[in-house]
Amino acid sequence: MTSVGSLPATLADPLAATSPRGSQGPAFKPSRRRVPFVRGTVGYLKPADARPVIHLVDTGPGVPREDFEHDLREVPIVDARLAPAPPRIHHEGFELWDAPSRLRNFHDEALQAVYYPECVELACLVTGASRGFVFDHLLRQREEGRPPLTFGRGGAGSAPAAAGRVHNDYSEDSGRRRLHLVLNDPEAAAAVRRYSIVNIWRSIGGVVRDTPLAVCDATSVNVGDLVPAELRYPRRVGEIYLSHHAPGHRWAYFSEMDTHEALVFKQFDSQASGTSRFTPHAAFDLPHIPSDAPLRRSIEVRCLVVYD
């Protein structure tokens, strides 16, 4: 359950349209006021001795898809649009860019031909890298009825949903392996001095009014907070980071993200110090979701960028 923190309820309620008295013209309504933060629930990892495992295949009846317990925490999540200074990709670990795409249908077969090059250009512009390689994308949609958030993989052929578990797409080990998988050339990989992996997240269903993406300020995350977890696919095993809760974590989101905007956030950096390296993130439900709000639809693209 989420709530607006220490703010009058009227600031969070949807504003009803009204018309001037006796007017037959268009409806008017007060300008929507942004609130500085909300309180949202995100799913941390409950401390345990065993290595966490997430099955991304059907496990059969009675077998859990996740073999660990969750630690659901209500945390303050600030609206980064109202921050005194915008966050930076190499400091807090994320930036929001106005970046319209030429692609209109993200389910179209032209996605890789049109959208991938746009993402490479954006990723290099944001990070200062000289070249990039998109190697993966995922389309997600919030489920009908908005059930409690999970890791976003329901199995049985269902489409990926919003992921409410706090995670980072790559660990130290999987981030280093990814360079070789992307370049597929040992000599070329050996010549790379520094590289990063970024996630580019975009709404593809209009303004997000129900389940936005929250990112955790990388400067507030300690290495000890992060726990390697196995992702078991049908024919391979991957590794991500889950996170334990820490009181110092600082969460942010960008209110009412629209399709012309892109949130770029760091998931790995081969430079071990002096820059953001991991930006944990999770979806969360807003405290007051308008009754007519569409289900959030989004695309996330993963791009490896090289600094020559």
Side-chain angles (χ1 to χ4, degrees):
M1 193 67 182
T2 54
S3 60
V4 174
S6 303
L7 293 165
T10 54
L11 295 186
D13 291 339
L15 297 168
T18 59
S19 297
R21 188 172 299 170
S23 171
Q24 299 301 315
F28 295 98
K29 63 181 179 180
S31 175
R32 184 181 297 275
R33 297 178 63 183
R34 298 187 190 278
V35 295
F37 75 98
V38 297
R39 299 192 67 86
T41 299
V42 295
Y44 282 100
L45 172 69
K46 185 172 288 188
D49 294 330
R51 179 182 175 89
V53 176
I54 302 166
H55 297 272
L56 298 181
V57 295
D58 289 323
T59 54
V63 180
R65 301 178 71 82
E66 303 170 4
D67 70 347
F68 52 89
E69 292 187 72
H70 304 290
D71 181 10
L72 298 180
R73 297 282 182 139
E74 188 179 82
V75 296
I77 306 174
V78 302
D79 186 350
R81 293 190 191 274
L82 304 179
R88 295 165 292 163
I89 189 77
H90 295 305
H91 191 252
E92 292 86 358
F94 59 95
E95 295 185 18
L96 181 71
W97 280 67
D98 187 43
S101 173
R102 293 187 294 116
L103 193 65
R104 292 294 174 263
N105 180 5
F106 286 84
H107 296 272
D108 193 284
E109 60 184 15
L111 187 146
Q112 293 192 22
V114 176
Y115 192 54
Y116 277 25
E118 292 177 345
C119 287
V120 168
E121 181 179 5
L122 177 62
C124 289
L125 180 63
V126 174
T127 62
S130 55
R131 53 197 171 106
F133 308 86
V134 170
F135 58 88
D136 187 17
H137 78 270
L138 188 64
L139 295 160
R140 295 183 184 271
Q141 178 169 323
R142 189 70 169 101
E143 307 97 315
E144 290 285 347
R146 298 188 178 93
L149 290 161
T150 66
F151 195 70
R153 299 295 186 95
S158 61
R165 306 295 187 229
V166 179
H167 67 286
N168 191 86
D169 297 348
Y170 289 90
S171 67
E172 186 73 55
D173 289 345
S174 63
R176 296 197 178 278
R177 287 197 301 269
R178 179 53 63 176
L179 176 68
H180 298 270
L181 292 172
V182 171
L183 296 187
N184 197 28
D185 181 337
E187 290 187 10
V192 172
R193 292 176 297 174
R194 180 192 173 195
Y195 68 96
S196 300
I197 301 171
V198 297
N199 188 321
I200 301 173
W201 191 94
R202 179 189 300 271
S203 168
I204 60 172
V207 176
V208 178
R209 301 166 67 197
D210 60 345
T211 312
L213 186 70
V215 286
C216 192
D217 183 338
T219 65
S220 71
V221 178
N222 294 317
V223 173
D225 301 334
L226 304 174
V227 179
E230 286 187 10
L231 289 182
R232 294 187 180 175
Y233 296 90
R235 289 176 291 278
R236 66 182 180 90
V237 176
E239 186 176 83
I240 63 172
Y241 275 143
L242 300 179
S243 177
H244 293 146
H245 174 261
H249 285 173
R250 294 188 295 272
W251 286 92
Y253 82 113
F254 291 90
S255 59
E256 299 186 340
M257 272 190 67
D258 207 345
T259 53
H260 62 87
E261 297 177 304
L263 175 59
V264 184
F265 54 102
K266 188 95 68 77
Q267 291 299 277
F268 178 80
D269 198 309
S270 64
Q271 182 173 304
S273 62
T275 188
S276 61
R277 302 194 69 215
F278 307 107
T279 311
H281 52 286
F284 73 102
D285 285 329
L286 287 168
H288 299 284
I289 299 174
S291 59
D292 62 346
L295 296 170
R296 184 259 265 183
R297 295 187 294 123
S298 61
I299 183 170
E300 56 200 61
V301 166
R302 296 176 185 90
C303 183
L304 185 147
V305 296
V306 176
Y307 308 86
D308 289 327

